[in-house]
Amino acid sequence: MNTISLLSAVAFWLAAWAFNEWLVRQRFDNPIARHAAGIAVPLLFGITILVLWEGIVRGFAVPSVLLPAPSAIWQRLITSLPTLWADFRQTFLKSVITGYVLGCGSGFIVALLIDRSPFLQKGLLPLGNFVSALPVIGVAPIMVMWFGFDWQSKVAVVVIMTFFPMLVNTVAGLAAASHMERDLMRTYAASWWQTLVKLRLPAAWPFIFNALKINSTLALIGAIVAEFFGTPIVGMGFRISTEVGRMNVDMVWAEIAVAALAGSVFYGVVALVERTVTFWHPSVRGGQA
């Protein structure tokens, strides 16, 4: 047992905790300082978790096959960049992005058709709720059998996982405009498309972006899980399943770190676009105050 490493990590954790507590209680008048403090708090919290993790692993001499230290994971990450890049390109750039665009785009288009057809609204929405409840571990093997072992089958899984959240949220968003607002558009002799573009679609943007943010994480999860059931010798899911069997847990954690970083950046980009498009919404204006 390495007592020095453990005590050092605990001391750093306590000091960082005290500093964070002081930082969140401050009321900065300068917007730049307030923004910097908002970034520093979660950043320092994350660093504290890594330091505490490192100290516990070193202090209690935890076997690397059970839990590698962050330093070992970082070492594996920087020495395996070509492999990690190939996996990232196969899983994220090919499967996730393609499936995300197809799934969200088709869900949005079908939602517009449902809005025009009461028959589709009563017949397709219940079916959508049923399909959205299907487990990905049950759908993935079927998609692999239908579309093969390459990234096309993973795209199919991502499309299934992202289609119905977008469909349901868009339908709900299109119904968000009040009857009084719709009646006002009718008094202006606005057509269905004019009402959609100028009233109902702007009212639906918060719902649509809510689905886009949810799907940004669902797409990555679906693609990685689908790769467990058949893939070429490349991909995040393939690498995780293979390296676990070889007891290379540090490589598994490196893949997890890359996936977490990619998913967080993807979510952040969608959230940034949301703030730009829905700048008028109370939730965005409240956050800017």
Side-chain angles (χ1 to χ4, degrees):
M1 179 175 179
N2 193 336
T3 308
I4 297 178
S5 298
L6 185 59
L7 292 178
S8 299
V10 172
F12 182 86
W13 171 59
L14 292 175
W17 187 1
F19 181 74
N20 258 353
E21 282 288 339
W22 174 83
L23 196 60
V24 296
R25 296 177 187 273
Q26 302 306 306
R27 296 293 180 265
F28 297 100
D29 295 329
N30 190 334
I32 298 178
R34 186 165 60 247
H35 183 67
I39 296 176
V41 170
L43 182 63
L44 184 58
F45 181 80
I47 294 174
T48 304
I49 294 297
L50 294 178
V51 171
L52 194 60
W53 178 356
E54 183 83 21
I56 291 175
V57 170
R58 290 181 178 270
F60 290 103
V62 179
S64 60
V65 72
L66 295 180
L67 182 65
S71 58
I73 298 171
W74 172 254
Q75 184 64 29
R76 170 64 75 169
L77 194 151
I78 61 176
T79 56
S80 304
L81 286 178
T83 301
L84 293 171
W85 167 250
D87 294 339
F88 172 81
R89 183 176 57 188
Q90 174 74 14
T91 301
F92 192 85
L93 298 183
K94 291 184 178 180
S95 302
V96 173
I97 297 298
T98 306
Y100 181 84
V101 172
L102 292 177
C104 293
S106 57
F108 178 79
I109 293 174
V110 173
L112 295 181
L113 297 177
I114 287 177
D115 184 72
R116 292 287 286 169
S117 172
F119 169 74
L120 291 178
Q121 186 172 5
K122 294 180 180 180
L124 189 58
L125 277 182
L127 179 62
N129 293 329
F130 171 78
V131 175
S132 63
L134 295 177
V136 63
I137 58 174
V139 174
I142 298 175
M143 295 299 104
V144 171
M145 293 175 61
W146 286 1
F147 297 99
F149 286 90
D150 210 348
W151 58 271
Q152 291 85 353
S153 58
K154 317 310 177 292
V155 169
V157 173
V158 174
V159 168
I160 293 175
M161 293 191 66
T162 58
F163 175 84
F164 291 102
M166 173 58 74
L167 173 65
V168 173
N169 278 273
T170 303
V171 170
L174 292 175
S178 66
H179 291 288
M180 184 178 297
E181 293 169 330
R182 298 184 193 183
D183 290 341
L184 179 62
M185 296 298 292
R186 293 191 190 98
T187 61
Y188 293 150
S191 64
W192 182 86
W193 280 107
Q194 290 174 323
T195 303
L196 175 70
V197 173
K198 296 182 179 180
L199 171 63
R200 303 180 66 200
L201 196 56
W205 277 129
F207 294 85
I208 295 172
F209 276 104
N210 184 50
L212 290 173
K213 290 188 291 186
I214 293 173
N215 286 340
S216 67
T217 56
L218 285 180
L220 185 58
I221 294 172
I224 292 177
V225 172
E227 288 180 346
F228 278 78
F229 297 94
T231 185
I233 54 173
V234 65
M236 292 181 176
F238 165 80
R239 195 73 55 194
I240 290 173
S241 61
T242 302
E243 297 300 333
V244 163
R246 299 169 60 184
M247 297 298 179
N248 292 331
V249 184
D250 52 351
M251 186 63 178
V252 174
W253 279 98
E255 288 283 0
I256 293 174
V258 172
L261 179 62
S264 299
V265 171
F266 193 16
Y267 184 95
V269 169
V270 175
L272 185 61
V273 175
E274 178 187 21
R275 292 181 65 88
T276 303
V277 174
T278 62
F279 60 91
W280 50 268
H281 197 264
S283 62
V284 176
R285 289 188 285 113
Q288 294 176 343

